Amino acid sequence: MEQMQEIIRERAVQYAEEAFAEHGEEVSAAFDCIMTCRFVARQSGLLALDELAEDWKEEEEIPLKSLLIGMVLEIVDAADMEVWEEKACRRILESGYSGYEWYIANLYVTGCKNLYMGVHHTQYYLLCRAMVPECWLEDFDDYWESWTNEDQRRYEAHIEDWVRYVFPREAAIRAAFHRRFGEMEPEGLQRILEELPDKILAAALAGAGDPLRNRFLEQMSAEQRKAVMEEWYQNRSDEYSLRDIEKAMERMTMAAGLMGAAGE
């Protein structure tokens, strides 16, 4: 595999001048694609690249589009980086690329690899810069600074949007949960306890207030109470994520509604 990588890299270096001098728009578009992948992965995780790659299928201005889309879709599910890398390199070598296309192909395979490995932004910049012809370094530095600033603006805007959305949503979920079960009759609580797995009950009640948590504990059998408490004990070292608690609360609330166990 290392031999294949070196062949691709050598050909990329060989055609780097041509790539920047005669195909600057294609090179810039290729960099934009990789940088967009990095932003999306930082914002929403690797799985979000699936949707990005699907959207790209409708785009017409992506250099070596099928290569990039294939790499991105495969890296989302990649369990072994070496296996993915060998497959990607073999695909490049067998694709009949020529000239500046080698530079873009090398950019894609190294970009996706470093994305998957979580290489820091600054380190990735230096890796890319080492492959830029000297006469184009100033332009590349300006491009990178512009992209970095834009990425930071987009990331900060994403955080602001998340804050505006997530706290009201969490409050609504918890309010619905406490409203549904806070005044529920013991019979209704028992039906819920019989219906749902202990893991779901433990996660939801971990985020409930003490009075409601105690109401449920009072209705549990000794065996179930022991199982739920054991779940709390095992998860407290890492702590439940807010998302785990939210999902469990939603499931309990929906189950109560479906069973008509509101106890009204």
Side-chain angles (χ1 to χ4, degrees), residues 185-198:
E185 297 296 331
E187 293 79 7
L189 296 178
Q190 291 168 6
R191 290 180 62 190
I192 291 294
L193 292 173
E194 293 170 359
E195 179 71 16
L196 294 173
D198 293 338

Side-chain angles (χ1 to χ4, degrees), residues 17-30:
E17 287 278 0
E18 174 190 328
F20 278 83
E22 301 178 21
H23 301 278
E25 289 186 5
E26 290 94 330
V27 171
S28 179

Side-chain angles (χ1 to χ4, degrees), residues 35-48:
M35 295 301 289
T36 299
C37 283
R38 291 179 67 84
F39 172 77
V40 169
R42 180 169 70 139
Q43 173 182 301
S44 306
L46 281 176
L47 290 176

